[in-house]
């Protein structure tokens, strides 16, 4: 490792689009041969009259079947294995945010590659073996724990498996160990910051923090800027999902201009979720990923249900891996209220533009008689008893949300610390509607 190099794996990170394409095709063909060891894919390919040799170019990817979360559930737990179980060394299960959990199996080689992916991301944002990395995300089945642990160790950093929660202990570790980088879900960072404020700790003066990796849940650009500002750090968006290993799939570089998805590890497609046809660059669609380096459980054209769009295929950082916009949320996070489609992130974006408002909010959908409506509760940043000002603020927030989503919500400003906080992924929407969902 050469600390001066901006790249951890220059041989892959700086490939031209053409070279990347050649590598992807080679790896795709290998992956398809591997898939024939799984009864699930064997059967699906046979039904379609398709053989791995039929895939001769990257465009041929479109001939391949999609894989869905339901397929993973139907084959739970080991029905998609492509190697004998005795060659698998670990399994992870999705955190089950949306229904029955699913299982992903890993061989030792899979875990090694995964650690490489994460290490590459962390290197990309300027972390080096001299850094002290505190992983303040849940461990266990949640891949953000072990995924970052092994990646940070692979890079050579002193890695602190602090896990989520216990903010006082987190702050002590940050100060005692000279932590320079943290990984956490964005909602937890804001919680950590409020505890720092309560304790009279100024992260800018009293800690060595400089880099944050934030991800695992949708968050807006406005939320990121707030986190950077209050913590005095650079905060980079980290995208991952258990089906694709976990963290390390997509990560921002220091340009902060979208998530680089590592195309030597994945084939990235954006499709229209209804027609399943590819959408043009710049247009929002569903992210579909094919693994290229996995042996225990490769996945072909996995429908992630995450909605995003292509921003570009080159970057001033010298990496030509595709850049995707921050995720809007999953198609199943989308709220349909009185026929209008709304993503919680649209509301967050508005709330974060008001300095008078805090970081925690909750959207409740409820019905009264025949009507469905939305209540947006948001904490105020600082205590105040100026009711006139609060009323005006409430009105203004309501107006701005209406401009964005075209429906008028009920806005309630609540004192700081009153809304629930979770140590894992934040719950932003509660649906209590009875009439129509
Ligand atoms: P679960 O599916 O149970 O939530 P995962 O940990 O596998 O468990 O979650 C992966 C999902 O989390 C992604 O599909 C995506 O919806 C969301 N996610 C992960 N990272 C980000 C991110 N940086 N921005 C927005 N959403 C993210
Ligand atoms: Zn870049």
């Amino acid at each position: 490792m050469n600390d001066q190099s901006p790249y951890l794996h220059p041989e892959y990170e700086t490939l031209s689009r053409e070279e990347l394409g050649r590598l992807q095709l080679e790896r795709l063909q290998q992956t398809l041969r591997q898939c024939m060891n799984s009864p699930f894919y064997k059967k699906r390919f046979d039904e379609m009259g398709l053989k791995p040799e039929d895939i001769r170019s990257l465009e041929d990817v479109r001939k391949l079947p999609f894989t869905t979360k339901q397929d993973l559930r139907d084959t739970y737990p080991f029905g998609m294995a492509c190697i004998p179980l005795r060659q698998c060394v670990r399994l992870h299960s999705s955190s089950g945010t949306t229904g029955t959990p699913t299982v992903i199996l890993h061989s030792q080689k899979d875990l090694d590659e995964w650690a490489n992916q994460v290490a590459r991301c962390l290197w990309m944002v300027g972390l080096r073996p001299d850094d002290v990395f505190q992983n303040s995300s849940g461990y266990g089945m949640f891949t953000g724990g072990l995924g970052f642990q092994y990646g940070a160790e692979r890079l050579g950093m002193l890695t602190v498996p602090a896990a989520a929660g216990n903010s006082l202990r987190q702050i002590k570790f940050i100060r005692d160990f000279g932590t320079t980088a943290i990984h956490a879900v964005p909602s937890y960072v804001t919680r950590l910051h409020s505890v720092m404020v309560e304790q009279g700790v100024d992260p800018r003066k009293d800690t060595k923090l400089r880099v944050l990796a934030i991800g695992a849940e949708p968050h807006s650009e406005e939320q990121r800027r707030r986190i950077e500002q209050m913590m005095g750090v650079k905060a980079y968006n980290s995208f991952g999902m258990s089906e694709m290993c976990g963290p390390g799939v997509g990560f921002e570089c220091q340009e902060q201009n979208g998530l680089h998805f590592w195309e030597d590890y994945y084939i990235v497609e954006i499709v229209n979720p209804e027609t399943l046809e590819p959408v043009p660059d710049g247009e929002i669609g569903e992210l579909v990923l094919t693994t290229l380096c996995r042996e225990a459980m490769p996945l072909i054209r996995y429908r992630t249900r995450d909605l995003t769009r292509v921003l570009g295929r080159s970057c001033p950082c010298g990496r030509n891996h595709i850049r995707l916009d921050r995720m809007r949320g999953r198609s199943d996070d989308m709220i349909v209220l009185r026929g209008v489609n709304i993503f919680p992130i649209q509301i967050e974006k508005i709330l974060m533009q008001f300095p008078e408002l805090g970081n925690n909010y909750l959207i409740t959908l409820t019905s009264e008689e025949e009507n469905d409506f939305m209540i947006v509760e948001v904490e105020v940043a600082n205590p105040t008893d100026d009711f006139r000002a609060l009323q005006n603020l409430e009105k203004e927030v309501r107006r701005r949300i209406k401009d964005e989503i075209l429906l008028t919500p009920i806005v309630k400003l609540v004192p700081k610390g009153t809304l629930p906080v979770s140590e894992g992924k934040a719950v932003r929407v509660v649906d209590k509607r009875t009439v129509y969902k």
Side-chain angles (χ1 to χ4, degrees):
M1 275 181 213
N2 165 12
D3 277 16
Q4 302 309 313
S5 168
Y7 312 109
L8 182 62
H9 305 135
E11 66 286 20
Y12 293 114
E13 287 175 67
T14 61
L15 290 175
S16 67
R17 293 297 310 167
E18 235 190 329
E19 290 164 325
L20 258 175
R22 272 201 296 276
L23 180 71
Q24 284 190 309
L25 181 59
E26 200 179 290
R27 290 186 169 179
L28 175 64
Q29 287 166 335
Q30 164 60 30
T31 299
L32 295 175
R33 287 194 291 274
Q34 179 75 359
C35 282
M36 293 306 102
N37 297 329
S38 113
F40 169 83
Y41 277 122
K42 179 83 179 67
K43 179 158 173 268
R44 195 157 276 190
F45 273 55
D46 285 349
E47 280 166 4
M48 295 174 75
L50 199 64
K51 292 201 165 46
E53 327 51 288
D54 298 335
I55 304 304
R56 296 200 193 90
S57 71
L58 277 182
E59 284 68 54
D60 286 344
V61 164
R62 292 199 215 152
K63 296 182 184 161
L64 295 169
F66 287 96
T67 309
T68 62
K69 189 131 190 155
Q70 191 56 44
D71 293 327
L72 295 182
R73 288 185 182 134
D74 293 345
T75 55
Y76 176 90
F78 304 140
M80 283 213 189
C82 288
I83 56 173
L85 271 190
R86 70 181 310 271
Q87 286 169 26
C88 296
V89 298
R90 197 197 300 162
L91 67 74
H92 273 281
S93 167
S94 95
S95 44
T97 318
T98 52
T100 328
T102 51
V103 157
I104 300 293
L105 293 161
H106 298 280
S107 69
Q108 187 55 54
K109 180 171 169 289
D110 292 335
L111 294 182
D112 284 343
E113 287 294 0
W114 180 17
N116 283 334
Q117 280 176 251
V118 176
R120 182 193 290 182
C121 296
L122 297 174
W123 189 279
M124 176 163 74
V125 297
L127 296 175
R128 295 294 181 268
D130 290 330
D131 280 288
V132 178
F133 186 87
Q134 186 162 324
N135 190 11
S136 306
S137 85
Y139 275 66
M141 287 297 195
F142 178 55
T143 52
L146 292 179
F148 270 99
Q149 180 71 30
Y150 283 96
E153 288 175 6
R154 174 66 48 90
L155 192 155
M157 288 186 281
L158 173 59
T159 307
V160 185
N166 200 340
S167 303
L168 289 178
R169 196 178 63 145
Q170 299 278 357
I171 296 166
K172 180 170 169 53
F173 287 168
I174 293 170
R175 299 184 74 183
D176 293 354
F177 304 152
T179 300
T180 56
I182 288 185
H183 163 246
V185 294
S187 47
Y188 184 64
V189 177
T190 54
R191 163 90 192 126
L192 189 62
H193 181 260
S194 3
V195 180
M196 282 181 169
V197 173
E198 275 164 34
Q199 298 296 312
V201 174
D202 178 349
R204 292 164 179 274
K205 292 203 201 96
D206 306 327
T207 77
K208 291 188 180 159
L209 286 174
R210 62 183 192 89
V211 169
L212 252 55
I214 51 172
E217 64 185 16
H219 55 287
S220 56
E221 182 64 31
E222 288 74 11
Q223 167 96 304
R224 180 251 289 282
R225 293 293 168 214
R226 270 195 176 200
I227 288 178
E228 290 192 323
Q229 219 261 331
M230 65 195 193
M231 297 293 275
V233 297
K234 278 281 174 199
Y236 296 99
N237 188 1
S238 153
F239 175 86
M241 65 193 314
S242 4
E243 294 88 330
M244 294 293 126
C245 278
V249 180
F251 214 89
E252 277 179 327
C253 70
Q254 294 183 36
E255 302 288 330
Q256 296 185 314
N257 58 358
L259 296 150
H260 280 290
F261 270 62
W262 300 120
E263 288 179 279
D264 50 333
Y265 285 107
Y266 305 98
I267 291 177
V268 178
E269 297 172 84
I270 310 286
V271 304
N272 176 315
E274 259 126 54
T275 63
L276 300 181
E277 290 300 318
V279 301
D281 281 6
E283 213 171 272
I284 301 234
E286 178 178 344
L287 173 66
V288 171
L289 296 170
T290 299
T291 65
L292 292 177
C293 284
R294 275 236 302 255
E295 59 178 18
M297 206 172 139
L299 291 178
I300 305 297
R301 302 192 86 194
Y302 184 70
R303 290 189 58 184
T304 65
R305 297 187 287 182
D306 285 311
L307 299 172
T308 181
R309 61 189 177 129
V310 175
L311 294 179
R313 288 184 174 78
S314 64
C315 182
C317 74
R319 294 171 184 88
N320 300 314
H321 296 254
I322 197 163
R323 277 185 295 113
L324 302 184
D325 204 357
R326 62 177 59 248
M327 304 291 145
R328 304 279 139 130
R330 286 178 178 164
S331 44
D332 36 30
D333 291 335
M334 191 173 76
I335 299 168
V336 184
L337 185 66
R338 294 193 227 147
V340 180
N341 300 347
I342 305 155
F343 282 98
I345 209 83
Q346 290 176 276
I347 293 171
E348 177 184 297
K349 189 176 86 182
I350 304 295
L351 299 179
M352 296 294 137
Q353 286 166 11
F354 288 88
E356 304 92 327
L357 298 179
N359 299 301
N360 207 2
Y361 65 94
L362 183 68
I363 301 167
T364 306
L365 307 171
T366 169
S367 349
E368 201 164 286
E369 295 177 357
E370 290 295 290
N371 280 325
D372 292 340
F373 51 95
M374 175 189 282
I375 303 170
V376 178
E377 286 170 283
V378 55
E379 292 181 2
V380 289
N382 298 305
T384 164
D385 42 21
D386 184 346
F387 289 108
R388 165 88 30 112
L390 282 175
Q391 259 178 353
N392 286 340
L393 179 60
E394 222 166 62
K395 231 159 95 190
E396 183 59 13
V397 174
R398 187 165 61 226
R399 193 183 65 76
R400 294 272 293 280
I401 295 180
K402 180 179 181 226
D403 286 349
E404 172 72 28
I405 67 170
L406 309 176
L407 287 176
T408 310
I410 296 170
V411 172
K412 287 186 186 165
L413 304 184
V414 299
K416 203 172 169 177
T418 41
L419 294 175
V421 273
S422 77
E423 283 170 5
K425 301 185 187 215
V427 177
R428 299 297 196 191
V429 182
V430 177
D431 196 342
K432 296 184 179 161
R433 283 177 293 177
T434 47
V435 186
Y436 165 79
K437 281 193 190 183

